[in-house]
Amino acid sequence: MNYNKKTVKDIDVKGKKVLLRCDFNVPQDKETGEITSDKRIVAALPTIRYLLDQGAAVIACSHLGKPKGEWKKSLTLAPVAKRLSELLGREVIFAADVIGEDAKAKAKALGGGEIMLLENLRFHIEEEKNDPAFAKELASMAEVYVSDAFGTVHRAHASTEGVSHYLPAVSGFLVAKELEVMGKALDDPKRPFVAVLGGAKVSDKINVINNLLEKADTVIIGGGMAYTFSKAQGGEIGTSLLEADKLDYALEMIEKAKKNGVKLLLPVDTVCAKEFSADAEPVTFEAGHIPADMMGLDIGPKTVKLFCDATRGAGTIVWNGPMGVFEFPKFAVGTEAMAKALAESGAVTIIGGGDSAAAAEQLGFADKITHISTGGGASLEFLEGKELPGVACLLDK
Ligand code: AMP
């Protein structure tokens, strides 16, 4: 997969109509519809400002929620247009449709240095189906396509891939940064390269583990995933999370690590409890010696030391998935220690979206991390080494 893609800086956008795919999929209050975090809108500002400063006419578009092809008033992008306008300090023209008369007329009249926002792309079922006719209509309003919604680049949708068949396609600053940092980590990492994987399920991360065992020097496995590895090696895991159909896979991965000369670290002790509850009493056991009525909810103190020591001196650390049930403060110790170890490591540190990003933010370490990916699913597929359709379709440098 080639991550060396043209960006907005490599193409002339002056006076051009630019279709800009943003990620304005913001969280909203269920009752009032109010935007509860405008982080994603704020994140889009550098690319938008750059394009406007260059004299481009910006036709922004995004999806919001899952309307599945139906017009749903609760999922209109109108509140996003309003918030974007406040943040930019200028008018954001809002189109009442996506490829309809209103959008087309407003796009036609849009001048250089002006911005408009189309209505929710997923009000059309054709968007997620990557329907070529829909993509062509969308593209017909513009002369250049800019992809800046990393959270959807792993999907071949009309606005993420389809339009690239009709317009020269480049990345915005957000996507460019994701490609630069994560692409480099996978292709040419500063070594030693340490991968830290956690979270609930082995099955979600099978391909990530597999791919990273070919790239990393050390792979650390914590979280609920680790019990399947422990069981596969004959350990007693009590009532801990287990994916019984992944036992052979776990053994295969242990073998693969040996064969490739990758250090594979698994927990040596575990903080357990009788029930899955924030109030449960934590008790620590050696890994593989968990009593029948106990479940593992966090890595133990010896494991914290083992894992944190393994990150010391690393050139690159990629982390995906918490070390335990960090939502319960009593069982957040391992995840917290890992976030701190990353923050203090001096390595290029990358957090691959989702729960570990939330953990780093919740624990106050986010600003000490080199890069926190904005796309959960997309960053996982990135780490799997899969070709991302919304990236592959961009022009090569
Ligand atoms: P994932 O989405 O696969 O990254 O998984 C994240 C979830 O894994 C979080 O909600 C954690 O609470 C959960 N998790 C991590 N460790 C454990 C564990 N030992 N037992 C149960 N759930 C866990």
Side-chain angles (χ1 to χ4, degrees):
M1 170 100 201
N2 176 16
Y3 308 118
N4 200 12
K5 297 293 184 175
K6 284 196 176 168
T7 78
V8 275
K9 291 217 163 152
D10 299 314
I11 196 165
D12 182 19
V13 292
K14 196 169 168 38
K16 298 227 169 105
K17 296 230 158 84
V18 173
L19 181 70
L20 173 65
R21 177 56 157 104
C22 299
D23 180 0
F24 289 151
N25 188 28
V26 291
Q28 286 174 292
D29 185 286
K30 277 199 184 79
E31 254 129 63
T32 63
E34 204 182 315
I35 296 170
T36 51
S37 164
D38 62 4
K39 241 177 71 183
R40 289 184 168 169
I41 310 176
V42 172
L45 296 177
T47 303
I48 293 175
R49 287 207 177 103
Y50 174 82
L51 290 169
L52 293 174
D53 288 349
Q54 293 292 308
V58 179
I59 305 163
C61 62
S62 175
H63 76 280
L64 177 62
K66 293 183 174 150
K68 303 230 148 76
E70 276 174 44
W71 286 74
K72 286 205 175 121
K73 204 160 171 257
S74 60
L75 293 176
T76 172
L77 278 169
V80 171
K82 185 166 168 277
R83 187 77 193 102
L84 178 60
S85 163
E86 287 161 7
L87 289 166
L88 281 173
R90 70 169 87 197
E91 187 192 5
V92 174
I93 298 160
F94 185 62
D97 48 30
V98 182
I99 50 162
E101 267 175 36
D102 193 51
K104 284 194 174 153
K106 284 176 174 159
K108 196 168 174 208
L110 198 71
E114 290 184 333
I115 176 165
M116 66 180 283
L117 176 64
L118 302 177
E119 187 48 288
N120 190 343
L121 290 160
R122 292 194 189 165
F123 282 174
H124 286 263
I125 198 76
E126 297 90 339
E127 158 65 0
E128 286 181 86
K129 295 209 149 103
N130 198 3
D131 179 80
F134 176 77
K136 195 172 177 187
E137 286 289 311
L138 200 55
S140 73
M141 290 183 269
E143 298 161 275
V144 173
Y145 166 68
V146 176
S147 156
D148 217 17
F150 185 72
T152 52
V153 291
H154 59 313
R155 310 265 181 237
H157 291 169
S159 70
T160 61
E161 196 275 340
V163 290
S164 75
H165 297 278
Y166 308 100
L167 296 172
V170 299
S171 72
F173 298 133
L174 284 176
V175 167
K177 181 163 184 229
E178 299 271 3
L179 298 184
E180 191 188 309
V181 184
M182 287 214 282
K184 182 156 173 38
L186 292 185
D187 275 354
D188 178 26
K190 198 167 161 217
R191 293 189 181 272
F193 175 16
V194 179
V196 183
L197 301 172
K201 285 171 131 188
V202 181
S203 48
D204 285 351
K205 297 199 180 137
I206 277 186
N207 298 323
V208 178
I209 300 173
N210 199 19
N211 188 37
L212 290 176
L213 281 173
E214 281 161 27
K215 314 244 175 201
D217 301 295
T218 302
V219 172
I220 293 174
I221 295 184
M225 283 204 299
Y227 307 108
T228 299
F229 283 81
S230 174
K231 178 90 180 173
Q233 292 173 291
E236 296 294 336
I237 62 162
T239 57
S240 308
L241 279 184
L242 168 69
E243 282 174 89
D245 59 338
K246 294 291 171 297
L247 292 167
D248 289 342
Y249 174 80
L251 290 178
E252 257 173 58
M253 289 304 103
I254 292 169
E255 273 313 303
K256 181 167 177 172
K258 275 190 204 142
K259 198 171 132 249
N260 291 4
V262 176
K263 203 194 272 178
L264 178 66
L265 295 181
L266 291 160
V268 291
D269 58 353
T270 306
V271 178
C272 302
K274 282 233 154 76
E275 71 266 12
F276 187 85
S277 148
D279 304 321
E281 191 58 40
V283 194
T284 303
F285 296 96
E286 298 290 306
H289 295 277
I290 300 176
D293 61 344
M294 289 268 189
M295 64 177 77
L297 297 179
D298 194 9
I299 52 175
K302 285 189 204 152
T303 308
V304 166
K305 181 160 186 322
L306 176 75
F307 287 4
C308 292
D309 284 350
T311 63
R312 233 161 260 143
T316 306
I317 309 172
V318 169
W319 179 25
N320 190 297
M323 294 291 101
V325 185
F326 76 102
E327 296 91 337
F328 300 160
K330 283 185 192 169
F331 303 98
V333 178
T335 302
E336 207 166 322
M338 192 48 75
K340 191 159 176 275
L342 256 74
E344 292 172 352
S345 67
V348 174
T349 47
I350 300 168
I351 296 188
D355 279 312
S356 16
E361 259 156 47
Q362 185 186 311
L363 302 167
F365 295 109
D367 59 345
K368 298 201 181 65
I369 303 296
T370 311
H371 180 65
I372 298 186
S373 176
T374 50
S379 67
L380 263 190
E381 292 199 13
F382 206 123
L383 296 177
E384 286 174 10
K386 265 199 193 160
E387 179 166 288
L388 308 170
V391 173
C393 73
L394 305 178
L395 294 171
D396 290 332
K397 258 200 187 165

